[in-house]
Amino acid sequence: MSNIIIINGPNLNLLGVREKGIYGDMDFQTYFDVLRQSHDGVTLTYFQSNHEGAIIDKIHEVGFSMDGIVLNAGAYTHTSLAIGDAIAAVTTPVVEVHISNVYARESFRHHSYLAKNCKGVICGFGLDGYRLAVESLLIK
Ligand code: DQA
């Protein structure tokens, strides 16, 4: 049984409400319930925080024991050297996810402080990016 956690960062608690033209109209809990049901052999958990330190604490907490971390750090992706360092510090592989295609948006969204320390990056596939990230972590 694989243990995988999805960590969402700031403002992603507002999925389904926030800028629907960019992020869609489904709330994350609804998406997560379907994702969990369709992955019987995986223990999937979910954590969301709007606080940089809480995201770092969660990466430290799970990052030596779980099989994978799917991380959408929201805007912290483009600002947080500290989250980048936390990813480098742990042994669990991390896949960076973005719902939108950040490369088709403002130039400040084109740089990630996290990507270099991640196993890979998935962006631009909407919420389905989380499923793609989970499946990528299941490939041995
Ligand atoms: C995002 C992209 C970020 O640039 C933005 O700040 C977000 C969401 C995405 O999922 O597309 O909050 O990570």
Side-chain angles (χ1 to χ4, degrees), residues 8-12 15 18-19 22-23 72-78 97-102 105-106 108-110 123-124 130:
N8 270 343
N11 301 306
L12 293 163
L15 285 174
R18 166 195 190 200
E19 298 178 279
I22 300 173
Y23 300 112
N72 184 349
Y76 285 143
T77 306
H78 319 300
V97 167
H98 300 286
I99 297 163
S100 64
N101 179 356
V102 286
R105 300 180 66 190
E106 303 95 324
F108 59 81
R109 295 184 203 276
H110 298 180
C123 80
Y130 292 94

Side-chain angles (χ1 to χ4, degrees), residues 6 36 41 43 62 74-75 79 84 93-94 108 117-118 121 123 127-128 130:
I6 296 175
R36 197 153 47 176
T43 303
V62 303
T79 63
V94 178
F108 59 81
N117 298 325
C118 290
V121 179
C123 80
L127 289 177
D128 205 33
Y130 292 94

